[in-house]
Amino acid sequence: MEKISKVVVSRLPRYYRYLDELRHQKIERISSKELSKLMNVTASQIRQDFNNFGGFGQQGYGYNVDYLYEEIGKLLGLHEKHKMVIVGAGNLGQAIANYGNFKNRGFEITALFDRNPNLIGKKTKYGEIRDIKNVYDYVVENQIEIVALTLPKEAAREIAEKLVSCGVRAFWNFAHTDLSFSDDIIVENVHLSESLMKLTYRIAEKNHQ
Amino acid sequence: MEKISKVVVSRLPRYYRYLDELRHQKIERISSKELSKLMNVTASQIRQDFNNFGGFGQQGYGYNVDYLYEEIGKLLGLHEKHKMVIVGAGNLGQAIANYGNFKNRGFEITALFDRNPNLIGKKTKYGEIRDIKNVYDYVVENQIEIVALTLPKEAAREIAEKLVSCGVRAFWNFAHTDLSFSDDIIVENVHLSESLMKLTYRIAEKNHQ
């Protein structure tokens, strides 16, 4: 696969989400102009973005919604199966476990782990919450690729390093710290408090206008 | 306040987080070069970013950590008090309520609301979860500026519109839909599944290299 710029890639999930909504509305074709209006971006940006991937066969009147949805899904790796475990089964971990439509998007959450004795054994839709001390054997035996880290930052780094040595290749990291590894390991950091600060910045900016 | 580019603003929270860590390590001064190494960005980017805000008085050997932390905090609007309520008190709403150090960053969560009778009345550290039908009166009476929306997308738009008519000016939106209002209303969308798709894109990219 050709290397596509990070900025373009970062826009793909949003296209995917809008196309999914169009599919649910039984809309079969859409022009870049209509899509642009819906998504509040320029039609020329849409065409440029799609040209990175060969243009997705726009012809006659616009794009075929199903085809475009499928192709972007493939690009996003959603046609491959991904096994994921959640490390940290507090509210955030449980929220992630219950969030959205993982299974239809190629994700299979296979287990949740925590160190809190009050949580271990608690039933979830992915089985009982397991003791974190068993996570390392588990990821080896089950060839887990992706780990969602929903635990305090103090514990995150050490646990992540051990998981890498057990074959984990990717982290969806909610701990309040940046994780960095060699280029082989993929980390997507989600810093919720940073997103809240962007909001307060914009409020402050308005207050001082 | 002068209008600063969105990209620069989006980097401020990360600076703030690293400066907070330096303060906790009792580090008093830091050069742009050291900060660049720590944060894995170029020193020239750091200097350029800070020059947007007058440079933050670097002199002699580097920046004063406390001063820089305070100034960036002011820019981020964290010295102003913000009252926030959480609409949607499921796992995600409760996770947000328990997440991080809101109070030290100027946030006061004053209440959680839900429509689920099994949740209404449940105790949290911000009082009992309230019935969502009372949220409109509540935000008017308590002059709530910010609402965190942690509820399904089907309900999000209608509730958000009503809240705007009750004086809410900003949303921290976790619902799986983009909200857009007039320019007066600030929306920070957090699409968790999009961040997960960025991760799977990068895994797919590696698999096809």
Side-chain angles (χ1 to χ4, degrees), chain A residues 14 17 76 172 194-195 200, chain B residues 17 76 172 194-195 200:
Chain A
R14 191 160 177 262
R17 182 158 51 83
L76 287 169
W172 195 22
E194 295 192 5
S195 115
T200 56
Chain B
R17 182 159 50 84
L76 287 169
W172 195 23
E194 295 192 5
S195 116
T200 56

Side-chain angles (χ1 to χ4, degrees), chain A residues 138-155:
Chain A
Y138 183 93
V139 300
V140 172
E141 281 161 25
N142 295 280
Q143 298 181 291
I144 302 298
E145 286 179 301
I146 308 181
V147 172
L149 291 170
T150 44
L151 73 183
K153 71 170 176 181
E154 292 71 22

Side-chain angles (χ1 to χ4, degrees), chain B residues 11 14-15 31-50:
Chain B
R11 288 196 285 260
R14 190 160 178 260
Y15 287 121
S31 67
S32 49
K33 200 173 159 190
E34 288 165 329
L35 192 56
S36 108
K37 219 169 156 183
L38 192 66
M39 294 183 63
N40 202 19
V41 293
T42 65
S44 94
Q45 177 169 93
I46 292 176
R47 286 189 300 265
Q48 272 176 37
D49 282 352
F50 290 179

Side-chain angles (χ1 to χ4, degrees), chain B residues 3-153:
Chain B
K3 186 87 183 171
I4 306 292
S5 92
K6 247 185 157 173
V7 178
V8 175
V9 171
S10 74
R11 288 196 285 260
L12 288 180
R14 190 160 178 260
Y15 287 121
Y16 192 73
R17 182 159 50 84
Y18 275 88
L19 289 163
D20 195 25
E21 287 193 11
L22 291 169
R23 283 169 69 235
H24 280 104
Q25 292 162 32
K26 313 275 181 218
I27 291 167
E28 287 177 16
R29 298 193 75 81
I30 190 158
S31 67
S32 49
K33 200 173 159 190
E34 288 165 329
L35 192 56
S36 108
K37 219 169 156 183
L38 192 66
M39 294 183 63
N40 202 19
V41 293
T42 65
S44 94
Q45 177 169 93
I46 292 176
R47 286 189 300 265
Q48 272 176 37
D49 282 352
F50 290 179
N51 280 340
N52 282 296
F53 305 100
F56 294 126
Q58 182 183 29
Q59 46 183 326
Y61 172 69
Y63 300 96
N64 179 309
V65 170
D66 273 339
Y67 176 76
L68 193 52
Y69 176 80
E70 289 297 319
E71 291 300 308
I72 292 179
K74 277 185 215 165
L75 284 168
L76 287 169
L78 302 178
H79 286 233
E80 299 164 32
K81 292 273 171 229
H82 300 285
K83 284 197 256 184
M84 177 162 81
V85 303
I86 295 176
V87 174
N91 279 315
L92 187 59
Q94 291 187 47
I96 297 302
N98 290 315
Y99 188 85
N101 208 345
F102 285 125
K103 210 158 184 185
N104 287 354
R105 298 191 169 178
F107 291 97
E108 190 191 350
I109 294 173
T110 66
L112 286 84
F113 294 86
D114 207 284
R115 66 173 181 189
N116 180 346
N118 296 326
L119 288 174
I120 295 167
K122 190 185 161 188
K123 279 187 189 145
T124 74
K125 66 176 169 177
Y126 303 106
E128 290 183 3
I129 295 172
R130 296 164 193 244
D131 190 328
I132 197 165
K133 70 172 192 239
N134 301 321
V135 71
Y136 309 106
D137 286 343
Y138 183 93
V139 300
V140 172
E141 280 162 25
N142 295 279
Q143 297 181 292
I144 302 298
E145 286 180 301
I146 309 180
V147 172
L149 289 170
T150 45
L151 74 180
K153 70 171 176 177

Side-chain angles (χ1 to χ4, degrees), chain A residues 35-93:
Chain A
L35 192 56
S36 108
K37 218 169 158 185
L38 193 66
M39 296 183 61
N40 203 18
V41 295
T42 65
S44 95
Q45 179 170 92
I46 291 176
R47 286 189 300 265
Q48 271 176 39
D49 283 352
F50 290 179
N51 280 339
N52 281 296
F53 305 101
F56 295 124
Q58 184 184 26
Q59 45 184 326
Y61 173 68
Y63 300 96
N64 177 309
V65 170
D66 273 338
Y67 176 77
L68 194 52
Y69 176 80
E70 289 298 319
E71 290 301 307
I72 292 179
K74 278 185 213 164
L75 284 167
L76 287 169
L78 301 178
H79 286 234
E80 298 164 31
K81 291 272 170 232
H82 300 285
K83 284 197 256 183
M84 177 163 81
V85 303
I86 295 176
V87 173
N91 279 315
L92 187 59

